[in-house]
């Protein structure tokens, strides 16, 4: 009876060298060739013995920490972390991707500040997942000076001069799904609510796609700039509402518009249909439940870690930029036009 099975035990039982076992169990970092029959024999022996690679020993040998850090850059609205379930969904994907790639995840202390340099330079992470919707000069400068590999969520690679792998959703495709849904319900006057004071990259992409796509579907588009302090939303609610539907730049803003309209006596969706963007569990907590473009948040986190692991291993992810499709989750906040608002 042996204690905890080791690589040596597997090698002896399978009739191969420890180098072969290492290749089979950690194939991506080894260069020797092993036949599929031999590889399957090694895997079978490992399963029967209950052998699991020692990740800590492996990282020590490779002079790595086995840790991936998560932090945000300038331009990410911190309130969104609390108001929606976005952050939990993103972390689910990052953690799943890290585990599949042999890493653990650490949330940087600077996550909720605007000074992440310490976390980027102190050597405790093999790589970082940086999620930011705004390629500000300070963000770009920080990334250029960073000594560890980075993968970025919520930006296009071109926004950072194609220096880093990025994962982003198909924002225009998501807006098209929402507009097609509203057009099928008979809506011809649709507004897009956004924060023009903090117009982050993806919000701009969504706004521009809205203005471009709406006319092709016979919809007259209009913009509702709520402003950061929501003074624009307050002004909007004091005027007669002319739209029969409103799309928010995210689910939180869509809920604010919905609640504001209902407080003014408008029925949602009988008078005005509302559509959000993200579609986390937050939408199910609204009254009525919020129809929303579904952003593949967890998949974005998972893919970012996959690309980051490749960079850590000295590879170049192909493609450098991953764009994932959106869906549309129809709930109770949209319906056919029942009462035209003039």
């Amino acid at each position: 009876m042996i204690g905890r099975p080791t690589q040596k035990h597997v090698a002896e039982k399978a009739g191969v060298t420890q180098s072969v076992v290492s290749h089979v169990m950690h194939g991506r970092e080894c260069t020797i060739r092993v036949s599929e029959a031999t590889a399957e024999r090694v895997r079978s022996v490992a399963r029967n013995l209950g052998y699991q690679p020692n990740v800590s020993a492996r990282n020590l040998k490779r002079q790595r920490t086995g840790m991936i850090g998560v932090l945000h850059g300038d331009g990410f609205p911190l309130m969104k972390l609390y108001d929606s379930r976005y952050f939990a969904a993103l972390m689910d994907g990052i953690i799943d991707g890290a585990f599949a790639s042999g890493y653990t995840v650490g949330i940087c202390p600077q996550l909720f500040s605007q000074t992440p340099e310490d976390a980027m330079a102190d050597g405790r992470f093999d790589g970082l997942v940086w999620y930011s919707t705004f390629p500000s000069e300070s963000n770009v400068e920080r990334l250029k000076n960073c000594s560890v590999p980075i993968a970025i969520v919520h930006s296009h690679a071109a926004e950072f001069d194609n220096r880093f792998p990025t994962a982003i959703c198909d924002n225009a495709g998501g807006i098209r799904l929402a507009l097609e849904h509203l057009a099928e319900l008979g809506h011809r006057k649709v507004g897009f609510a956004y924060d023009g004071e903090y117009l982050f990259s993806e919000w701009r992409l969504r706004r521009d796609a809205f203005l471009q796509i709406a006319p092709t579907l016979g919809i007259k588009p209009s913009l509702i700039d709520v402003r950061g302090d929501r003074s624009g939303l307050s002004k909007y609610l004091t005027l007669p509402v002319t739209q029969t539907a409103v799309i928010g730049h995210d689910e939180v803003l869509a809920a604010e518009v919905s609640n504001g309209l209902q407080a003014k006596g408008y029925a949602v969706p009988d008078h005005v249909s509302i559509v959000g963007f993200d579609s986390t569990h937050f939408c199910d907590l609204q009254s009525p439940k919020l129809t929303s473009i579904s952003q593949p948040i967890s998949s974005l986190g998972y893919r970012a870690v996959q690309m980051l692991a490749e960079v850590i291993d000295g590879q170049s992810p192909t493609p450098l930029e991953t764009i994932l499709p959106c869906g549309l989750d129809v709930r109770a906040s949209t319906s056919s036009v029942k009462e035209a608002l003039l």
Side-chain angles (χ1 to χ4, degrees):
M1 179 69 178
I2 63 174
R4 178 177 178 177
T6 66
Q7 192 177 95
K8 181 179 179 181
H9 294 132
V10 176
E12 291 175 348
K13 189 74 172 178
V16 297
T17 66
Q18 290 188 52
S19 295
V20 171
V21 176
S22 178
H23 169 75
V24 173
M25 305 306 290
H26 310 294
R28 69 181 185 184
E29 64 178 47
C30 300
T31 58
I32 64 174
R33 297 177 63 86
V34 177
S35 70
E36 183 55 36
T38 299
E40 181 54 37
R41 185 168 76 252
V42 170
R43 286 191 287 265
S44 177
V45 169
R47 285 193 299 269
N48 291 336
L49 292 178
Y51 169 74
Q52 291 289 338
N54 189 318
V55 176
S56 296
R58 179 186 175 204
N59 287 331
L60 183 63
K61 182 178 180 180
R62 300 159 77 197
Q63 295 185 322
R64 294 181 181 175
T65 66
M67 289 286 293
I68 287 175
V70 181
L71 74 164
H72 76 86
D74 291 342
F76 199 92
L78 295 184
M79 284 303 295
K80 188 173 183 180
L81 301 182
Y82 304 105
D83 289 346
S84 81
R85 302 301 185 270
Y86 162 86
F87 186 63
L90 179 67
M91 287 304 301
D92 281 346
I94 289 175
I95 291 171
D96 287 347
F99 188 82
S101 298
Y103 291 93
T104 52
V105 175
I107 299 177
C108 301
Q110 285 77 14
L111 178 65
F112 299 105
S113 77
Q114 299 297 329
T115 56
E117 284 83 355
D118 291 343
M120 297 169 65
D122 65 7
R124 75 183 70 187
F125 299 113
D126 292 328
L128 295 170
V129 173
W130 171 293
Y131 63 99
S132 175
T133 61
F134 188 56
S136 65
E137 290 184 8
S138 59
N139 274 345
V140 173
E141 192 62 28
R142 285 168 177 165
L143 293 174
K144 286 181 180 179
N145 294 330
C146 185
S147 59
V148 300
I150 291 178
I152 301 174
V153 182
H154 294 308
S155 291
H156 285 291
E159 293 178 294
F160 291 90
D161 300 325
N162 294 310
R163 288 172 172 262
F164 314 102
T166 64
I168 190 171
C169 75
D170 182 2
N171 287 281
I175 292 296
R176 176 174 289 280
L177 289 175
L179 287 170
E180 288 176 345
H181 170 64
L182 293 173
E184 290 174 359
L185 293 174
H187 295 276
R188 294 297 178 263
K189 296 180 180 180
V190 179
F192 183 81
Y194 71 105
D195 185 344
E197 187 174 354
Y198 301 102
L199 189 57
F200 306 125
S201 298
E202 286 196 291
W203 296 353
R204 184 182 298 109
L205 290 172
R206 295 166 192 175
R207 181 201 64 183
D208 294 348
F210 169 79
L211 292 174
Q212 181 179 11
I213 296 170
T216 68
L217 299 173
I219 292 174
K220 181 180 179 181
S222 58
L223 296 178
I224 306 165
D225 184 355
V226 302
R227 309 301 294 171
D229 60 3
R230 296 303 186 259
S231 59
L233 178 58
S234 298
K235 181 179 179 180
Y236 167 73
L237 293 172
T238 63
L239 302 173
V241 175
T242 60
Q243 300 89 357
T244 61
V246 175
I247 300 173
H249 70 211
D250 66 12
E251 60 188 21
V252 175
L253 179 55
E256 290 183 50
V257 174
S258 177
N259 293 335
L261 287 169
Q262 292 179 79
K264 289 294 183 178
Y266 292 98
V268 176
D270 287 350
H271 292 147
V272 185
S273 289
I274 304 292
V275 179
F277 202 118
D278 283 342
S279 199
T280 69
H281 181 57
F282 173 85
C283 295
D284 292 318
L285 302 178
Q286 305 310 304
S287 180
K289 293 182 179 181
L290 188 64
T291 293
S292 184
I293 300 159
S294 58
Q295 181 177 190
I297 301 171
S298 294
S299 296
L300 289 172
Y302 191 98
R303 178 56 184 153
V305 173
Q306 282 185 319
M307 293 189 291
L308 180 60
E310 293 178 24
V311 175
I312 293 172
D313 284 343
Q315 304 173 30
S316 297
T318 303
L320 186 65
E321 175 178 280
T322 296
I323 302 177
L324 298 180
C326 292
L328 181 69
D329 294 329
V330 178
R331 298 184 179 89
S333 67
T334 53
S335 69
S336 58
V337 179
K338 294 183 176 64
E339 183 174 334
L341 299 177
L342 302 177

